């Protein structure tokens, strides 16, 4: 059987059962939209958690004056240190002023800049916990020119626990949603094919091969998945825009990931769904 | 061409459809399968196109032993057999023409030959004027003729006709009978199930008579 006939039959299958097709298209679109929306939430959650995690750092206040270059290179040699950023006392003041506009008067009381110069020490991911912070900070304290270090300590571990709980909850929810979406899409496609079980039976009796019967249905599933994925993607973009404008101001979103993700999920679910459903009649 | 060797068909709950049936049919024969309602006529035909499998016994059709015929080869068997179903089995979402064409589309016939053969058959059965109608827009007799057209359009080796005149008036019945004889004359083996004994007696053809699943008369 040629592909041409399959596609023609597939298109006819859709037009012959228009209302059934649109009904299940609607279900596929909405399901994929939900999935994609949850994907958006998850990605943003992970994104913010990562930013939060990267903010875990050690600040080392320096003696005045200190040999910054040597100190920097010595700190960088410590295992677990990723980066060291020098913040001069002037910079520190400017930053503080930027962050706390209201305190300008308070700061103006001081004749001189009261803030010491410091080094911001960024750590490798594995060391961003209470133990790691303590170890590295201990090593830094031994270096000449370091007056004092501060870091999150216990608080960091608390944060890690909360992050873990949120992540687990999110993954659990994601799994539930993925399975529900797959279930709903499969059931809907199955129903539309069951509605045509008599037709399939007749095709078999007239001598149609399994592929002759299955391919148009798979094509229908393909179209349904493709269009459904596209609709889901458009709905996701609209929701994203609304969320950005009215609620969050800024959200992480990857156009092509979502575009291909929605369409790929749609096509895969569509083809497999109709394939599995029609298979029952071809035994 | 078709042979039944001690074939028994028992439906679920020990309901006997056919009991110990043995007969042979040679190529080009015309055979009536007769008997009262529920005697097993449709069952016998269903066994030939492997819609049902026998509980016991061996059935051979064309060159195939149906007991060992693989599932993927069933379409091959069915494409060589034209079946006029007792309940027509038309595809409700397709027009008359599409219904008949479907029987050709499942084979590998080139599109041009398909058109030609389709037109020939529709003209032959005088269905052309209704070719864009859907089954529900046709009368019982017209639907029957569509079922016949679909069975004939492939020039089958074997034609199985299950009560093909059941819904037709005397004149149309005669037309259909003439059509079947015509097909048979061109070389197709024809099995026709009917409970119209009067019609059968008139025709002077070979007959298999079934009663409660048993073969009682065979001439
Ligand atoms: N799928 C089935 N399941 C159970 N019993 C069946 C099935 N098909 C047929 N039968 C039974 O087998 C017997 C023979 O049925 P069959 O359809 O072959 O009769 P028939 O001779 O064609 O009758 P009719 O003249 O009414 O068409 C009947 O008693 C029927 O109830
Ligand atoms: Mg019958």
């Amino acid at each position: 059987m040629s592909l041409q006939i399959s596609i023609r039959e597939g298109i006819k299958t859709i037009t012959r059962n228009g209302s059934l097709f649109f009904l299940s298209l609607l279900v596929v679109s909405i399901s994929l939209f939900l999935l994609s929306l949850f994907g958006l939430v998850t990605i943003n959650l992970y994104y913010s958690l990562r930013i939060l995690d990267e903010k875990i750092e050690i600040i080392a206040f320096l003696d005045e004056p200190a040999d910054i270059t040597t100190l920097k290179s010595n700190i960088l040699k410590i295992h677990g240190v990723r980066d060291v950023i020098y913040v001069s006392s002037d910079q520190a003041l400017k930053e503080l002023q930027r962050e706390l506009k209201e305190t300008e008067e308070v700061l103006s009381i001081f004749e001189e800049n009261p803030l010491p110069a410091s080094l911001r020490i960024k750590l490798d991911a594995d060391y961003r916990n209470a133990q790691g912070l303590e170890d590295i900070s201990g090593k830094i304290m031994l270096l000449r020119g370091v007056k004092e270090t501060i870091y999150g300590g216990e608080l960091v571990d608390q944060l890690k626990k909360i992050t873990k709980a949120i992540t687990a909850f999110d993954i659990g929810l994601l799994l539930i949603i993925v399975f529900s979406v797959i279930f709903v899409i499969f059931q809907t496609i199955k129903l539309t094919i069951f509605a045509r079980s008599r037709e399939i039976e007749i095709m078999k009796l007239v001598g149609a091969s399994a592929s002759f019967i299955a391919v148009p249905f798979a094509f229908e599933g393909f179209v349904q998945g493709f269009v459904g994925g596209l609709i889901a993607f458009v709905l996701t973009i609209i929701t994203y825009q609304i969320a950005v404008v009215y609620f969050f101001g800024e959200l992480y979103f990857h156009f092509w990931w979502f575009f291909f993700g929605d369409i790929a999920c749609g096509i895969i679910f569509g083809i497999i769904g109709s394939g599995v459903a029609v298979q029952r009649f071809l035994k | 061409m078709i042979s039944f060797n001690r074939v028994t068909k028992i439906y679920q709950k020990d309901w006997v459809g056919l009991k110990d049936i043995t007969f042979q049919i040679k190529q080009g024969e015309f055979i009536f399968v007769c008997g009262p309602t529920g005697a097993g006529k449709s069952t016998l035909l269903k066994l030939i196109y492997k819609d049902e499998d026998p509980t016991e016994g061996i059935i051979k059709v064309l060159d195939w032993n149906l007991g060992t015929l693989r599932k993927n080869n069933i379409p091959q068997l069915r494409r060589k057999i034209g079946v006029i179903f007792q309940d027509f089995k038309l595809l409700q979402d397709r027009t008359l023409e599409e219904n008949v064409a479907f029987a050709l589309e499942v084979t590998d016939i080139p599109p041009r030959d398909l058109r030609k053969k389709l037109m020939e058959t529709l003209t032959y059965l005088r269905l052309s004027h209704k070719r864009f109608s859907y089954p529900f827009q046709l009368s019982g007799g017209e639907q029957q003729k569509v079922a016949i057209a679909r069975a004939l359009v492939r020039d089958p080796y074997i034609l199985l006709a299950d009560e093909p005149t059941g819904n037709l008036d005397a004149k149309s019945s005669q037309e259909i009978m003439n059509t079947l004889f015509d097909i048979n004359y061109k070389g197709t083996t024809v099995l026709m199930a009917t409970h119209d004994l009067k019609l059968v007696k008139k025709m002077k053809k070979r007959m298999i008579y079934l009663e409660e699943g048993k073969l009682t008369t065979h001439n």
Side-chain angles (χ1 to χ4, degrees):
Chain A
M1 178 188 48
S2 69
L3 191 68
Q4 198 191 338
I5 291 188
S6 324
I7 291 176
R8 200 193 64 206
E9 277 298 309
I11 293 170
K12 277 198 205 159
T13 313
I14 293 170
T15 52
R16 280 193 196 107
N17 301 278
S19 51
L20 219 52
F21 176 79
F22 282 111
L23 189 73
S24 75
L25 178 63
L26 194 72
V27 173
V28 171
S29 307
I30 292 173
S31 308
L32 287 174
F33 170 54
L34 274 179
L35 187 61
S36 158
L37 206 59
F38 196 74
L40 186 66
V41 171
T42 301
I43 284 182
N44 276 284
L45 186 68
Y46 277 83
Y47 199 65
S48 353
L49 289 180
R50 213 179 67 199
I51 289 175
L52 214 57
D53 194 55
E54 269 170 10
K55 279 202 177 135
I56 296 172
E57 60 187 11
I58 297 172
I59 295 175
F61 293 111
L62 305 179
D63 286 329
E64 213 64 56
D67 181 356
I68 291 144
T69 326
T70 320
L71 197 55
K72 230 174 154 179
S73 74
N74 279 337
I75 292 175
L76 273 170
K77 278 182 205 144
I78 297 172
H79 203 69
V81 172
R82 192 163 71 182
D83 202 7
V84 179
I85 299 159
Y86 174 67
V87 182
S88 71
S89 61
D90 285 351
Q91 265 174 308
L93 183 66
K94 267 187 209 141
E95 261 177 45
L96 191 64
Q97 280 171 340
R98 187 153 17 93
E99 274 174 31
L100 312 162
K101 282 221 169 67
E102 320 79 53
T103 57
E104 223 159 314
E105 295 101 65
V106 182
L107 288 168
S108 63
I109 295 168
F110 298 97
E111 299 234 314
E112 254 175 64
N113 181 358
L115 299 173
S118 64
L119 288 175
R120 267 194 203 155
I121 296 130
K122 300 275 177 197
L123 306 181
D124 286 337
D126 292 347
Y127 290 84
R128 286 184 212 135
N129 50 52
Q131 189 62 46
L133 285 167
E134 203 182 310
D135 288 354
I136 291 176
S137 142
K139 284 176 192 162
I140 292 171
M141 278 301 281
L142 296 177
L143 297 170
R144 255 190 43 199
V146 177
K147 187 160 60 182
E148 193 190 352
T149 60
I150 56 168
Y151 54 89
E154 288 300 306
L155 216 59
V156 169
D157 275 1
Q158 213 98 67
L159 178 76
K160 291 266 164 177
K161 263 186 210 152
I162 295 170
T163 305
K164 242 184 208 160
I166 292 176
T167 311
F169 183 71
D170 185 77
I171 288 177
L173 214 56
L174 186 67
L175 284 180
I176 292 173
I177 291 187
V178 166
F179 281 120
S180 321
V181 163
I182 291 178
F183 181 76
V184 167
I185 290 179
F186 276 29
Q187 286 301 315
T188 310
I189 292 177
K190 198 169 94 185
L191 282 178
T192 66
I193 293 181
F194 268 42
R196 283 174 270 169
S197 59
R198 211 185 92 89
E199 319 294 311
I200 295 175
E201 198 49 45
I202 295 171
M203 292 179 187
K204 278 164 68 181
L205 289 177
V206 178
S209 64
S211 61
F212 190 94
I213 296 170
V215 171
F217 281 111
F219 178 78
E220 187 184 356
F222 167 81
V223 172
Q224 224 157 47
F226 182 82
V227 178
L230 212 58
I231 293 174
F233 175 68
V234 171
L235 291 177
T236 309
I237 285 198
I238 293 171
T239 313
Y240 164 75
Q241 292 291 357
I242 291 173
V244 166
V245 172
Y246 292 99
F247 301 105
F248 297 105
E250 194 186 344
L251 271 180
Y252 184 80
F253 185 76
H254 199 295
F255 189 90
W256 293 111
W257 283 6
F258 275 85
F259 180 78
F260 287 118
D262 277 332
I263 289 178
C265 281
I267 290 174
I268 292 169
F269 294 164
I271 291 181
I272 295 180
S274 50
V276 167
V278 82
Q279 206 56 43
R280 288 167 181 244
F281 296 103
L282 299 176
K283 275 184 194 136
Chain B
M1 172 142 280
I2 300 172
S3 80
F4 275 52
N5 192 2
R6 310 210 58 172
V7 171
T8 295
K9 172 71 193 177
I10 296 168
Y11 286 108
Q12 54 280 54
K13 293 181 203 121
D14 299 335
W15 186 270
V16 177
L18 286 175
K19 185 131 189 69
D20 201 9
I21 305 283
T22 301
F23 66 87
Q24 263 113 42
I25 296 170
K26 286 199 275 299
Q27 187 176 351
E29 276 195 272
F30 193 113
I31 292 174
F32 286 108
V33 180
C34 302
T37 289
K41 304 182 293 292
S42 297
T43 303
L44 190 142
L45 299 187
K46 281 177 188 166
L47 288 169
I48 296 175
Y49 58 89
K50 207 168 160 65
D51 189 18
E52 295 284 355
D53 286 319
T55 317
E56 266 172 61
I58 294 166
I59 302 171
K60 286 181 181 161
V61 177
L62 296 161
D63 292 328
W64 288 295
N65 178 343
L66 298 196
T68 57
L69 182 67
R70 301 229 334 270
K71 211 191 79 196
N72 337 356
N73 291 329
I74 294 177
Q76 305 285 349
L77 167 77
R78 289 183 181 161
R79 284 175 209 169
K80 293 198 158 64
I81 302 175
V83 186
I84 303 164
F85 300 96
Q86 191 166 12
D87 55 353
F88 315 142
K89 296 202 190 298
L90 300 178
L91 297 162
Q92 295 301 318
D93 56 1
R94 291 170 199 238
T95 62
L96 186 162
E97 185 181 78
E98 286 171 330
N99 262 283
V100 179
F102 185 77
L104 288 171
E105 283 163 2
V106 302
T107 65
D108 297 321
I109 188 170
R112 184 192 299 222
D113 297 353
L114 186 150
R115 253 357 269 168
K116 185 163 161 281
K117 194 71 208 154
L118 180 64
M119 288 311 151
E120 253 175 50
T121 309
L122 293 184
T123 312
Y124 179 61
L125 285 165
R126 283 187 263 134
L127 286 170
S128 302
H129 61 296
K130 294 263 180 172
R131 67 177 191 273
F132 300 123
S133 303
Y134 286 88
F136 66 86
Q137 296 168 321
L138 300 170
S139 75
E142 285 166 338
Q143 291 183 41
Q144 180 117 53
K145 281 168 90 175
V146 181
I148 295 168
R150 187 180 58 190
L152 295 185
V153 75
R154 282 194 302 219
D155 292 327
Y157 290 79
I158 299 170
L159 181 68
L160 306 177
D162 201 347
E163 306 277 4
T165 57
N167 286 274
L168 302 176
D169 58 28
K171 183 167 158 284
S172 307
S173 290
Q174 195 50 55
E175 271 177 29
I176 293 304
M177 286 315 298
N178 291 341
T179 307
L180 294 185
F181 287 137
D182 199 24
I183 298 297
N184 177 238
Y185 181 74
K186 288 177 191 158
T188 298
T189 309
V190 179
L191 257 87
M192 172 172 158
T194 178
H195 46 231
D196 189 351
L197 265 179
K198 262 192 286 178
L199 178 108
V200 175
K201 293 234 168 76
K202 225 167 49 189
M203 299 302 175
K204 299 198 169 59
K205 293 277 183 189
R206 203 179 142 195
M207 178 186 78
I208 289 170
Y209 192 86
L210 297 173
E211 219 163 351
E212 289 177 13
K214 289 190 276 284
L215 205 164
T216 55
T217 318
H218 186 190
N219 54 23

